[in-house]
Structures are given as structure tokens and as C-alpha cells.
Amino acid sequence: KAGVTQTPRYLIKTRGQQVTLSCSPISGHRSVSWYQQTPGQGLQFLFEYFSETQRNKGNFPGRFSGRQFSNSRSEMNVSTLELGDSALYLCASSLSGQGHSPLHFGNGTRLTVT
Amino acid sequence: AQSVTQLGSHVSVSEGALVLLRCNYSSSVPPYLFWYVQYPNQGLQLLLKYTTGATLVKGINGFEAEFKKSETSFHLTKPSAHMSDAAEYFCAVRPSMDSNYQLIWGAGTKLIIKP
């Protein structure tokens, strides 16, 4: 079974621009979560989608948004980029996103904002 | 509030020595517990998980963890460290009866293996 695929792997953007990151979950997984990982803040939860609906949201500004399509693929968008948005963005899929159902992570998109 | 504490941001052991990575959690209800590993430039990979039943859980790559309810701990061990174990390890908790069921993550522990 193919794993979680994130594209692109690396991205360099300028302050003020916007960016869209893509995530294809494992086949059959309906839950997709997004995380931001930085050396200083560790893993921070952005949001989770299940069956095209945002089910949970972390404490990030409205510049961070996402969506999920009917095939469970998900995109994350960041508008008006700031230097502090430089991070590794990780997508994780799960069968249900609940209980003991574990997360399966992609290799991430490393975003650099200059 | 639920929380996860990983003792030591960096742990250094010699190749062949015992690996012990500590994880303590606070949860008002029995939790589901997970250990993940992250190698450089990669995402996180599930090592093992505790749900219910046997408190000693075996995972991949020779790792195991023991759930101790009285100590609210879920420490990760490996009898003999290998150079390939050098990575960052994350402990995570999901309260089993919490309506907000997102994983709560520890800050991570970087495991350094000395030759």
C-alpha cells in the first residue's frame, strides 16, 4: 500500500506570498491532519479533516486554511506568508483519527520564507 | 489539561548500551499511548502503541514500552543501541474518552548514539 504523499518536498517563498501544499493519504483513510514542526515549537496541530469536513482546529491564525476533497486528498493554504511560517509541514492520515487509530505521516514539505 | 512530558531533550548512549527514553503523561481517563520516531528529513513513523490489555508493548526495530498506570508513564526501551537508532523520538497520548481526540505530543527526545 502506498504511504502518505506530500508535494512539493521543498518550497521557497517570499514574505507576503501565498502557498498551497498537497497531501494524498493512504488509500481508505478518511482522516487527514496537518502539523507544523519547528525546532523551537515542536509539533503543533493545525487542523484535521474527515470526510471533507474540518473536524478539529488548532490555534493558528486564519491565514492558515485547508480543505479535503471527496477522494480524501487534502490541501493546506497559507496566505500572506511571514518569516515565522518557515517550517516543516507534515500531513498525516488515519483510518478514523480517533481512539487507537494511529497517524501515518508523509515526509513533509519544507517551507522556507525569505 | 492533558499533557505529555518527555524527560531530556537529548539522550546520549553508547552503541550496544541500553536505550531508555522517558515519557510521563497526565490524563484524567485511561489513555491510548504512542511512540513515534523521526529520522532526519523524514516524517514520523509509528514505533508502537498501547491500547488496552498487556502493559508491555513490543514495537518495530527491537523497541518496547511498558505502560505503568500508577506512575502515569510509558517509557521506551531497547536493550542494545545501534547506530541506526539515532533519531528523534516522540511520545503521544490520546485520552480515550475525550471528545477532543487529537493526539497530545511530547516535545521529543533526540537520541544520540556514540560509537
Side-chain angles (χ1 to χ4, degrees), chain A residues 9-10 33 35 37 42-43 45 47-48 55-56 88 90 94 96-108 110, chain B residues 32 34 36 38 40-46 49-51 88 90 94-96 99-107 110:
Chain A
R9 281 300 308 273
Y10 301 92
S33 300
Y35 286 84
Q37 187 179 29
L43 275 167
F45 171 70
F47 29 67
E48 184 225 1
R55 193 162 64 171
N56 260 294
L88 181 66
L90 293 165
S94 174
S96 70
Q98 295 179 316
H100 56 80
S101 179
L103 300 183
H104 300 264
F105 285 83
N107 283 328
R110 177 142 332 255
Chain B
Y32 299 117
F34 306 82
Y36 284 82
Q38 185 178 30
N41 296 317
Q42 292 187 26
L44 282 73
Q45 180 184 1
L46 180 69
K49 66 177 183 179
Y50 169 79
T51 55
E88 189 160 20
F90 293 89
R94 180 184 280 139
S96 62
S99 59
N100 180 10
Y101 38 75
Q102 290 308 307
L103 285 172
I104 300 159
W105 295 88
K110 282 190 178 167

Side-chain angles (χ1 to χ4, degrees), chain A residues 5 54 65 85 99:
Chain A
T5 303
Q54 187 180 89
S65 63
D85 297 333

Side-chain angles (χ1 to χ4, degrees), chain A residues 42-110:
Chain A
L43 275 167
Q44 293 198 286
F45 171 70
L46 281 154
F47 29 67
E48 184 225 1
Y49 286 86
F50 184 85
S51 293
E52 302 179 66
T53 301
Q54 187 180 89
R55 193 162 64 171
N56 260 294
K57 188 177 188 304
N59 190 25
F60 276 80
R63 301 185 296 107
F64 292 81
S65 63
R67 59 179 175 168
Q68 186 181 33
F69 302 95
S70 58
N71 61 359
S72 292
R73 191 178 70 85
S74 178
E75 286 182 348
M76 187 192 115
N77 185 76
V78 187
S79 62
T80 320
L81 284 165
E82 300 177 359
L83 293 178
D85 297 333
S86 294
L88 181 66
Y89 289 89
L90 293 165
C91 166
S93 75
S94 174
L95 273 171
S96 70
Q98 295 179 316
H100 56 80
S101 179
L103 300 183
H104 300 264
F105 285 83
N107 283 328
T109 294
R110 177 142 332 255

